[in-house]
Amino acid sequence: MSHHRLTPSVHEQKNQLAGALKALRTELELPGPFPQDVLRDAEAAVAEHKLPDLDLTHVEFVTIDPASSTDLDQALHIERSDGGYKVLYAIADVPSFVAPGGALDAETRRRGQTFYTPDGRIPLHPEVISEAAGSLLADQLCAAFVWEFDLDAAAEVTSVLVRRAQVRSRAKLSYKGVQAELDAGTAAPVLQLLKEVGIKRVELERLRGGASLNMPEQEIQQLPDGGYRIVAVPPLPVEDWNAQISLMTGMAAARLMLQGKVGILRTMPAPDEASLRHFHRQTHALGKPWDGEMRYGEYLRTLDPMDPRQLAIVHSAGMLFRGAGYTHFDGTVPQAAVQSAIGAAYAHSTAPLRRLVDRFVLVICEALSNGTEVPAWARAALPSLPAIMATSDQLAAKLERLALDTVEAALLVNHIGQEFDAVVLSGPKPAKGSNGGSNGNGNGGMSGKANGNGNGPSGMVQIAEPAVTARCPGELEPGTQVRVRVVASDIATREIRLELVG
């Protein structure tokens, strides 16, 4: 797709956009720079850090991430073994850098996770850990939790072991680069095996009733001239295959903790009957009916988000993915232990540099796997983690929505009066307050951008280029293509006003 730029003639608008994005940090009360005592804690932890005794530096691990990433949580190695596969998955040993009860520990609990903004990121840990000593950078000697999986020929897990070890990644690979090599047939054996195992794990996900939304991600990208663009990025196949290794690890972590009767799970209830009935009606109205006999997760895999009507179905399916949270336990196993979208019990365990809860899950799993005592500090933290993560997740989602709203308003500010083709994502909703509702972006939620269209029916539409999603008044039918005109766009208020043409 072509790139929409804020041209030099709108220098003032670019400055206004930069100011509006910077103001989000204050508006949302995002964490600022790390306090000096936290930085001292981090620097001392790096200076005094000791590697584990177990040496697995002979294993040829590689990392696969977005090209610009420097906080590398996971490194992978796969080989054939006894008619199946052996998967070694190294996860950054963040707990070895964070002393329980110290200033760094307290600050990470206050933050909960790394926050991503269009103009940078606000890390969970100081960069001396998150982008240096604690990151699984290529050719760097690192401490890691190494998950060792034996898989059968169908890629089902037959055994799991978790150990702390020193590792050395051989290469920092990118999703785009790996996908290109796989498509060209020039990929290294470990990457070919990732594809092979990944495809088999996707099939296992289908069989257990797992579900995922194959929705193109709206990605904000900064341009060299200081402007921004929004690109709808469909996920690459290799991203799914790589994610399957992470999902496999999260399910293994959940099993270990449930067997040990101590830990914290990522849970999500199954969709309620009302949501399923509504989704069923939507699929019939949009011409690709779901019969209710096929599992909804399997049905979602048949959708092509490049087709306007099927894209509308994908957006409608967001109602089936609600209520995710964290469930801790110590001594009594929870009854509601399943993450319904995955179709199994699951725990966050593979991103400790960027997410607080993973640090505790890793320590608990390593102890349970080796028959040693779970550290008291990890047990003591469990009751507080669900609230910390819920607050942090809500803040991250709000930041993502408002940042997207701000950039979208900036992309249309020089197109007042112009017309664009758009796809209707959802039909009319009742107005909320005097501004007639909000623009919806990401996670099936509603953002804070007023549409400014007054009362009356309106629907959500998506303009292809520039990539903007906003409300438009009118009796709109999901999945149809319409022509819209930009009436107004304001960066400071994140307000976009559209009208139907004809």
Side-chain angles (χ1 to χ4, degrees):
M1 67 190 298
S2 63
H3 300 170
H4 178 78
R5 294 175 179 269
L6 298 176
T7 64
S9 63
V10 291
H11 181 71
E12 184 177 329
Q13 284 90 344
K14 281 204 298 184
N15 288 340
Q16 187 180 3
L17 172 58
L21 291 173
K22 187 176 181 180
L24 281 178
R25 299 183 181 228
T26 302
E27 178 182 342
L28 298 179
E29 298 181 346
L30 298 175
F34 287 100
Q36 285 302 310
D37 59 340
V38 173
L39 293 174
R40 284 195 295 270
D41 253 18
E43 290 162 1
V46 171
E48 300 164 6
H49 190 256
K50 291 182 173 58
L51 292 167
D53 292 332
L54 179 61
D55 187 343
L56 293 181
T57 55
H58 64 281
V59 178
E60 297 186 351
F61 287 105
V62 296
T63 61
I64 310 174
D65 295 273
S68 61
S69 296
T70 51
D71 48 350
L72 310 182
D73 288 289
Q74 311 113 14
L76 170 75
H77 179 74
I78 307 177
E79 58 190 45
R80 298 193 187 279
S81 175
D82 298 328
Y85 311 89
K86 183 176 288 293
V87 177
L88 294 173
Y89 202 41
I91 308 299
D93 189 348
V94 178
S96 64
F97 292 95
V98 184
L104 176 56
D105 182 25
E107 182 65 15
T108 58
R109 296 186 196 215
R110 186 173 77 85
R111 294 179 180 229
Q113 64 184 277
T114 295
F115 296 98
Y116 294 91
T117 67
D119 54 351
R121 62 173 174 256
I122 301 169
L124 176 60
H125 302 89
E127 292 179 358
V128 68
I129 293 174
S130 63
E131 298 186 36
S135 179
L136 302 181
L137 301 171
D139 299 320
Q140 175 171 280
L141 196 57
C142 301
F145 289 86
V146 179
W147 293 74
E148 184 175 325
F149 296 93
D150 286 318
L151 310 182
D152 64 17
E156 282 273 24
V157 175
T158 58
S159 70
V160 182
L161 178 63
V162 190
R163 297 178 292 175
R164 280 176 133 150
Q166 48 184 290
V167 301
R168 192 191 303 274
S169 171
R170 298 300 197 271
K172 178 181 182 292
L173 307 178
S174 71
Y175 287 123
K176 288 183 180 179
V178 170
Q179 188 66 59
E181 290 182 17
L182 286 168
D183 292 345
T186 59
V190 65
L191 301 179
Q192 295 173 21
L193 286 174
L194 172 61
K195 177 180 179 179
E196 190 174 315
V197 171
I199 289 173
K200 291 181 178 182
R201 292 296 304 180
V202 169
E203 174 62 12
L204 292 173
E205 180 180 76
R206 185 189 69 81
L207 292 174
R208 70 174 182 267
S212 60
L213 285 175
N214 185 28
M215 188 183 296
E217 182 178 348
Q218 284 184 285
E219 185 178 283
I220 300 173
Q221 298 179 352
Q222 189 166 21
L223 300 168
D225 65 4
Y228 293 86
R229 63 173 177 170
I230 298 174
V231 181
V233 183
L236 295 170
V238 70
E239 294 182 70
D240 192 9
W241 304 329
N242 198 48
Q244 288 297 327
I245 306 300
S246 181
L247 289 171
M248 180 176 73
T249 306
M251 289 187 284
R255 286 194 296 271
L256 276 171
M257 293 188 292
L258 288 169
Q259 291 166 4
K261 298 183 178 180
V262 58
I264 181 167
L265 305 177
R266 180 65 164 165
T267 53
M268 188 172 78
D272 59 38
E273 286 301 317
S275 296
L276 288 170
R277 284 196 301 270
H278 181 77
F279 181 65
H280 182 267
R281 289 194 299 269
Q282 287 285 87
T283 65
H284 278 263
L286 290 166
K288 190 173 173 62
W290 172 49
D291 59 13
E293 298 296 322
M294 178 188 291
R295 289 171 169 171
Y296 73 89
E298 192 166 350
Y299 168 78
L300 291 176
R301 287 187 190 87
T302 70
L303 299 177
D304 177 8
M306 303 310 293
D307 178 282
R309 297 178 74 83
Q310 294 184 43
L311 177 61
I313 295 177
V314 173
H315 277 264
S316 178
M319 71 181 71
L320 306 178
F321 296 80
R322 292 174 176 167
Y326 293 88
T327 301
H328 76 280
F329 57 99
D330 193 348
T332 302
V333 174
Q335 291 185 338
V338 173
Q339 212 281 18
S340 65
I342 292 173
Y346 175 75
H348 279 322
S349 56
T350 61
L353 288 170
R354 293 169 283 168
R355 193 169 49 214
L356 175 70
V357 67
D358 301 49
R359 169 154 54 100
F360 299 88
V361 170
L362 286 166
V363 167
I364 292 170
C365 287
E366 189 272 340
L368 293 173
S369 180
N370 294 281
T372 59
E373 189 70 26
V374 173
W377 59 266
R379 287 190 117 111
L382 291 176
S384 66
L385 291 176
I388 291 173
M389 294 310 302
T391 300
S392 180
D393 286 343
Q394 289 165 7
L395 181 57
K398 188 172 185 180
L399 169 62
E400 180 181 357
R401 290 195 303 270
L402 294 185
L404 194 57
D405 290 347
T406 305
V407 175
E408 285 179 325
L411 291 178
L412 291 182
V413 77
N414 288 324
H415 295 284
I416 309 302
Q418 293 183 21
E419 298 178 8
F420 297 92
D421 290 323
V423 173
V424 180
L425 298 178
S426 62
K429 291 185 179 181
K432 293 184 179 182
S434 61
N435 65 18
S438 301
N439 172 49
N441 284 309
N443 304 321
M446 300 301 293
S447 82
K449 178 171 59 184
N451 64 40
N453 292 315
N455 295 320
S458 65
M460 194 68 63
V461 303
Q462 179 175 298
I463 299 171
E465 176 61 28
V468 170
T469 304
R471 283 207 166 276
C472 181
E475 295 286 351
L476 300 173
E477 181 183 347
T480 58
Q481 292 183 306
V482 295
R483 188 81 171 164
V484 298
R485 181 183 295 113
V486 181
V487 177
S489 185
D490 187 282
I491 297 172
T493 63
R494 300 184 281 270
E495 178 183 357
I496 291 174
R497 292 176 57 199
L498 304 177
E499 65 181 12
L500 281 175
V501 176

